[in-house]
Amino acid sequence: MFLINAVAGADGIPWATPVADSLAMGMALVLFIPYRKQLKETMDNFPEKE
């Protein structure tokens, strides 16, 4: 938010939060996708209770 405010001034303030949220969502997906694959493999190897 500080970077956009510094670059665009007062006009950048309304854009700072959506840009930060989009970047955070992208980073979360980058971290979540390998975790999901590992979790799926773990659950597939987990013995089922009867």
Side-chain angles (χ1 to χ4, degrees), residues 35-48:
Y35 173 76
R36 183 175 179 216
K37 288 180 182 178
Q38 182 182 6
L39 182 63
K40 186 174 188 284
E41 289 174 4
T42 302
M43 293 304 291
D44 287 342
N45 295 331
F46 193 71
E48 294 183 25

Side-chain angles (χ1 to χ4, degrees), residues 18-33:
V19 168
D21 288 344
S22 298
L23 289 173
M25 184 177 71
M27 299 257 321
L29 285 173
V30 166
L31 295 172
F32 177 71
I33 290 171

